[in-house]
Amino acid sequence: MIFRQLFDRESCTYTYLLGDAATGQAALVDTVREHVGRDLELLAELGLTLTAVVETHVHADHVTGAGELRRRTGAICSVPRLGGAPCADVPLGDGDVVRVGAIALRVLVTPGHTGGCVSYLVSLGEAAADRVLTGDALLIRGCGRTDFQEGDAGRLWDSVHTRLFALPDVTLVYPAHDYRGVTVSTIGEEKRHNPRLGGTRTRPEFIQLMAALDLPPPAKIAEALPANRACGDAGAKP
Ligand code: FE
């Protein structure tokens, strides 16, 4: 599998490129509109054809490049069903699979950061899944905030503990953001060392901790939410 982690400095977003070398098909997960050119150039250099543009959730901090990528490549936009993005070609629910050649992205519904968040368990061919794209449900030593877009700390705790922490400890964790420059973790590592969700932390403590964060709204929320409900094509017909 061709696997690349790409970064947006402004929003600290990770975009993932997953390519199947055998068929030349590729997916991009959680794109950023400003980097559509970069991503298309990389696909061309690697000899890959973009067939799927995928979101973990409707983002509040950056505008997705999904709509533009769909227009320029004909790729299919797959967005979580509960995300409130009518622009999706394929609305995804729990257990659904996005196939890119021999690569499978299996949907694990992991709400809590937003009401419509999903994670993608990634496998190649018959091999067991070795990595999970967790969106903002589980970050490295952290998690997404839970104070808007139907965010709910109790639901996030349950998603992480019943879905993500149920995966094998060796599963690689690739989040949608990192603000400290860390790129990858594992489920086992987060179970032990995540200060919000792991170790000896309890569900009531987590809910209290999230309620006390008192964060300012994301800088781009007013622009990003309506734009992302239209797959990044603000003002365009969904
Ligand atoms: Fe988010």
Side-chain angles (χ1 to χ4, degrees):
M1 175 170 28
I2 298 165
F3 186 82
R4 297 287 183 273
Q5 185 179 41
L6 301 151
F7 189 60
D8 172 54
R9 266 189 222 108
E10 193 186 343
S11 63
C12 294
T13 298
Y14 286 129
T15 296
Y16 295 96
L17 182 159
L18 297 93
D20 174 30
T23 61
Q25 293 185 20
L28 283 168
V29 181
D30 288 338
T31 59
V32 174
R33 192 165 64 184
E34 287 78 4
H35 297 305
V36 162
R38 173 198 68 184
D39 298 350
L40 288 173
E41 201 178 306
L42 180 58
L43 286 161
E45 286 169 349
L46 298 176
L48 296 169
T49 302
L50 186 66
T51 56
V53 187
V54 183
E55 304 286 340
T56 55
H57 61 294
V58 172
H59 304 275
D61 62 338
H62 68 270
V63 176
T64 174
E68 189 177 340
L69 286 160
R70 170 169 61 184
R71 260 198 321 281
R72 290 172 66 173
T73 67
I76 301 289
C77 283
S78 298
V79 180
R81 183 174 291 130
L82 295 176
C87 58
D89 300 307
V90 181
L92 298 169
D94 198 48
D96 286 346
V97 178
V98 179
R99 290 194 190 279
V100 183
I103 300 170
L105 288 83
R106 184 174 300 274
V107 176
L108 295 177
V109 169
T110 51
H113 165 57
T114 75
C117 285
V118 305
S119 299
Y120 295 100
L121 195 54
V122 179
S123 58
L124 178 67
E126 297 303 308
D130 69 343
R131 64 196 70 197
V132 61
L133 311 182
T134 54
D136 295 353
L138 180 63
L139 305 180
I140 298 170
R141 309 296 191 266
C143 66
R145 58 197 289 178
T146 54
D147 55 339
F148 55 77
Q149 276 178 283
E150 298 158 358
D152 183 314
R155 287 185 86 194
L156 181 56
W157 174 275
D158 295 341
S159 292
V160 170
H161 279 258
T162 64
R163 308 304 303 272
L164 299 175
F165 282 0
L167 298 171
D169 278 2
V170 293
T171 310
L172 298 167
V173 170
Y174 286 100
H177 297 284
D178 192 86
Y179 304 95
R180 300 179 306 138
V182 187
T183 53
V184 60
S185 180
T186 66
I187 290 294
E189 204 178 306
E190 292 311 310
K191 275 187 194 167
R192 286 194 301 278
H193 300 299
N194 191 298
R196 291 185 180 177
L197 290 149
T200 57
R201 190 64 84 181
T202 65
R203 190 176 188 274
E205 279 172 1
F206 176 70
I207 292 170
Q208 206 171 34
L209 183 155
M210 294 308 285
L213 286 182
D214 198 24
L215 298 164
K220 282 194 173 178
I221 189 168
E223 177 201 0
L225 284 185
N228 287 334
R229 288 190 183 111
C231 290
D233 291 330
K237 242 179 97 197

